[in-house]
Amino acid sequence: MKIFEPHIHMFSRITDDYEKLALAGVRAVLEPAFWLGQNRTHVGTFIDYFDTILGWERFRAQQFGIHHYCTMGLNPREANDDRVNDAVMEILPRYLEKDSVVGVGEIGLDDQTEKEERYLIAQLELGLRHELPVLVHTPHRDKKRGFARCIAILQDMAYPMERVLLDHGNEETIQITREVGCYQGFSIYPFTKMDENRMVAIVQEFGVERMVINSAADWGVSDPLMVPKTIVKLRQAGVAEHAIQQLVWDNPVGFFAQTGRLDAAELSQPPGFDRRETFDGNSVLRGQDPTR
Amino acid sequence: MADSNRAEPLPGLLDGLTADARGWLDRARADGDLPVLFPQLPRRLGRIAMGGGVQRHSGATLDLGAWRTCDGGALLLLETRTPSADELVDLYLRGDLEERTMVLRALACLPLGSATATLLGEVQRSNTVPHFAAAVCDSDLLIRARDAGVLDADDANRMLLKLAFVDLPLARVFDATRLANTELSRMLQDLASEREAAGRRVWRDTNLLIAHAPTAGTLARIAGGLEHGDDAHRIAAARGAAHIADPVLLRLARERLDREPSAAVRTELAAALRAAERTP
């Protein structure tokens, strides 16, 4: 089964993870620009980070047979930081036009401050201007209210809901999002947010329409194989193969293909690679024999 | 920078574009933020090979066989919008792989100046072969930059040594043999010796370029090249022997001609010997 992992921060992961993802059937990953675990102090570090996920990280993924795409945005945590917020907004338009950028994100709300809302709205306007889908991070605290607030903002702007993915959902939020017509993401974590068994129950109750699942794996305790592991649980529960394929491939591919920058036919084959190839003079081999 | 009113598209560019692509390009030439427009070029204009062979454009000689529609569109955009040197360098530094390729390919046709030196320096530091090729190959940029003093002799030597290091053909750098000098020959010969000691491939055009500025060891290398196991090395050595016209090398070339199994190499050897006979 082909898998599109629609939310994973490979910037923070090691090459073993790429090997395991490829073996588990992950054909493509989507890396949302996000927070790095501590606040950045000037825009230059954002520029270097954006360039890395467009450049080296994409190359690194290809060296393991995985297509790599990303979304660009000012994350809600650092939207609160006046050392970087306006300067990042200034550089975003050129980054939103890069070839492997298929959306604006992660944007959204975290602490649900007035500043977070202001930069969320400004980035939704960028999404409209650049005709891109948006990947919206929702708060981990006071989530239901955060979901409702994100939806209110989107509705105020008459944002086309088929181009919105509200992420980090759970059993409570699905009731809200089903009615507004947007996509909903479920981040399957080893111990928090949502686990595989709860996800199975959601699929059995609500189906897979406009739903995606992801690992949201990053620099913390997280598991990049959560999507393949959830597939196993879904099969064991008797969920039909076509429904699983829709959940882990058709839905995420269809959502991000709205950009016109993601070719489903090209995605269906793994990228060709040669580990002797270099990016800016660097290969992933670190001096090892490419034939081993 | 170029006179934007007189910016002309490369031959065949507009014929290769759809009406939508031409419309987008017209609008982009008139208005819009260049760093936002530039990454769109491959999506909007395609990556279709332009073809058209060697042409003159904006004072440069270039082989359109290496150009794609997005490269041609990028050049027209740059010649119309005339970014400053700093803006051009920024397009490269903040560009993705495709944007960098387009900036570097266009460089041959843009006015020589500080951006030329900066960007050639950038590709020299990178080992990204497509970028090095886009900047240095398929045009006469390197020789014009050297003639204009934008590059000094050391810069040019380092670039030709990098050409050998990444194994691109000498013929793709127009008039490169004019840049030959004894220091470059020494550098190329040392690289060849290091490669041989490591059991690695030697640049196939070594024996041709060093023949244009012989130094200690050059004749022995070319003599060895005439007996090399690889056709490309023997062809380069035959051409090198023809250029130097040293009596010993010519005698070795004559000896080789009778035993040479490759028709292509025999042609080169015969040409070398005929050229030597014509030399007083």
Side-chain angles (χ1 to χ4, degrees):
Chain A
M1 177 169 291
K2 297 192 299 278
I3 300 170
F4 187 109
E5 160 58 270
H7 187 146
I8 191 164
H9 302 288
M10 295 308 296
F11 179 87
S12 307
R13 309 299 305 193
I14 59 173
T15 52
D16 282 5
D17 293 332
Y18 274 125
E19 292 265 26
K20 290 174 189 164
L21 287 168
L23 285 170
V26 174
R27 189 62 59 76
V29 294
L30 185 288
E31 174 139 16
F34 85 136
W35 186 58
L36 293 184
Q38 69 180 48
N39 286 348
R40 283 162 278 201
T41 58
H42 60 99
V43 69
T45 55
F46 275 87
I47 289 172
D48 290 339
Y49 170 64
F50 290 168
D51 286 343
T52 299
I53 61 176
L54 286 166
W56 172 248
E57 199 54 54
R58 190 169 209 220
F59 170 81
R60 211 164 71 103
Q62 284 168 351
Q63 295 303 300
F64 293 87
I66 294 176
H67 297 279
H68 185 281
Y69 297 90
C70 62
T71 59
M72 287 286 173
L74 171 66
N75 65 80
R77 274 176 174 269
E78 286 171 297
N80 290 307
D81 192 331
D82 291 337
R83 293 173 298 182
V84 296
N85 44 22
D86 283 335
V88 173
M89 291 302 297
E90 270 180 43
I91 62 166
L92 274 178
R94 74 186 299 181
Y95 280 100
L96 292 177
E97 287 299 337
K98 306 288 188 186
D99 245 5
S100 60
V101 176
V102 292
V104 184
E106 296 181 57
I107 57 176
L109 300 177
D110 194 69
D111 270 339
Q112 308 190 46
T113 65
E114 181 274 327
K115 261 188 196 163
E116 287 175 16
E117 286 201 8
R118 192 191 328 148
Y119 288 99
L120 169 61
I121 291 165
Q123 292 184 92
L124 289 171
E125 284 166 356
L126 282 179
L128 289 173
R129 198 176 317 146
H130 292 264
E131 299 180 339
L132 289 171
V134 290
L135 175 56
V136 181
H137 167 98
T138 56
H140 297 304
R141 298 167 300 284
D142 202 3
K143 183 176 282 291
K144 226 169 132 180
R145 178 171 164 269
F147 251 75
R149 185 64 197 135
C150 285
I151 290 168
I153 289 169
L154 288 159
Q155 287 175 332
D156 279 353
M157 293 177 73
Y159 208 93
M161 284 297 179
E162 70 280 5
R163 291 193 352 222
V164 176
L165 198 169
L166 283 178
D167 212 352
H168 314 315
N170 60 26
E171 295 86 344
E172 291 191 322
T173 60
I174 190 167
Q175 307 282 3
I176 310 170
T177 48
R178 270 166 64 82
E179 290 165 15
V180 296
C182 65
Y183 280 73
Q184 176 152 337
F186 297 88
S187 301
I188 319 294
Y189 256 47
F191 309 112
T192 58
K193 296 187 185 175
M194 169 66 62
D195 67 25
E196 307 102 294
N197 295 322
R198 285 166 62 199
M199 192 65 224
V200 170
I202 288 176
V203 168
Q204 287 177 320
E205 184 174 355
F206 298 101
V208 295
E209 191 73 18
R210 294 194 310 275
M211 279 188 196
V212 304
I213 57 172
N214 60 64
S215 70
D218 56 18
W219 29 255
V221 177
S222 48
D223 182 351
L225 291 179
M226 272 308 186
V227 174
K229 286 179 178 176
T230 305
I231 290 173
V232 172
K233 295 282 186 186
L234 289 164
R235 280 186 180 138
Q236 287 170 346
V239 175
E241 283 294 301
H242 67 83
I244 301 175
Q245 186 74 88
Q246 184 182 343
L247 180 68
V248 301
W249 181 262
D250 300 341
N251 285 351
V253 170
F255 179 75
F256 290 109
Q258 294 180 87
T259 54
R261 300 181 197 175
L262 192 150
D263 181 347
E266 191 183 309
L267 269 189
S268 66
Q269 296 298 320
F273 62 90
D274 176 347
R275 292 223 173 128
R276 290 167 297 186
E277 285 177 0
T278 61
F279 179 89
D280 249 359
N282 294 316
S283 82
V284 294
L285 288 173
R286 318 303 295 154
Q288 294 164 83
D289 180 347
T291 60
R292 291 191 60 211
Chain B
M1 300 299 264
D3 180 347
S4 58
N5 294 324
R6 288 193 297 172
E8 289 287 336
L10 288 167
L13 171 67
L14 299 181
D15 296 339
L17 299 179
T18 63
D20 282 352
R22 280 198 301 271
W24 181 87
L25 188 55
D26 285 345
R27 290 191 296 279
R29 291 176 72 185
D31 193 24
D33 191 10
L34 209 46
V36 176
L37 295 167
F38 220 71
Q40 299 181 49
L41 281 158
R43 286 200 300 277
R44 302 284 189 178
L45 309 187
R47 299 173 173 87
I48 305 153
M50 286 179 57
V54 175
Q55 304 271 347
R56 292 280 299 165
H57 183 87
S58 299
T61 303
L62 51 144
D63 183 355
L64 288 184
W67 287 61
R68 305 163 304 165
T69 43
C70 56
D71 299 317
L75 174 61
L76 186 58
L77 200 53
L78 293 172
E79 289 197 313
T80 308
R81 301 288 296 274
T82 63
S84 68
D86 285 348
E87 288 167 338
L88 187 63
V89 170
D90 178 71
L91 281 178
Y92 172 84
L93 290 177
R94 295 274 75 86
D96 60 22
L97 293 175
E98 284 284 30
E99 289 174 84
R100 288 182 173 203
T101 303
M102 292 185 294
V103 169
L104 294 169
R105 195 158 279 138
L107 201 56
C109 300
L110 300 176
L112 296 168
S114 64
T116 319
T118 303
L119 292 174
L120 288 176
E122 286 291 333
V123 294
Q124 173 69 12
R125 287 195 296 114
S126 154
N127 277 348
T128 308
V129 177
H131 289 162
F132 187 84
V136 174
C137 294
D138 310 309
S139 80
D140 60 357
L141 175 62
L142 201 58
I143 190 75
R144 287 190 300 113
R146 178 72 190 101
D147 287 346
V150 169
L151 296 181
D152 65 22
D154 287 343
D155 296 330
N157 283 354
R158 280 193 289 269
M159 299 215 82
L160 287 169
L161 188 66
K162 180 61 79 77
L163 185 83
F165 186 76
V166 299
D167 198 27
L168 289 166
L170 182 66
R172 288 183 63 186
V173 183
F174 296 1
D175 288 333
T177 52
R178 274 182 54 206
L179 292 166
N181 59 79
T182 55
E183 175 61 4
L184 176 61
S185 295
R186 182 201 62 72
M187 293 159 76
L188 289 168
Q189 290 174 194
D190 283 356
L191 175 65
S193 297
E194 289 163 23
R195 286 285 179 97
E196 286 161 349
R200 298 176 65 193
R201 278 178 50 188
V202 170
W203 186 45
R204 70 199 78 172
D205 288 324
T206 302
N207 286 325
L208 174 56
L209 191 48
I210 61 177
H212 285 260
T215 187
T218 299
L219 293 183
R221 273 220 159 265
I222 295 174
L226 291 169
E227 296 292 332
H228 199 284
D230 182 283
D231 289 7
H233 281 270
R234 294 202 301 285
I235 287 173
R239 290 176 181 169
H243 187 79
I244 291 183
D246 175 83
V248 175
L249 281 182
L250 293 172
R251 181 162 61 80
L252 295 173
R254 207 167 288 117
E255 281 178 9
R256 178 74 199 182
L257 182 59
D258 296 336
R259 293 177 290 115
E260 176 55 53
S262 158
V265 182
R266 277 201 305 277
T267 303
E268 292 293 337
L269 287 167
L273 293 168
R274 279 197 305 276
E277 282 164 12
R278 285 198 298 270
T279 305

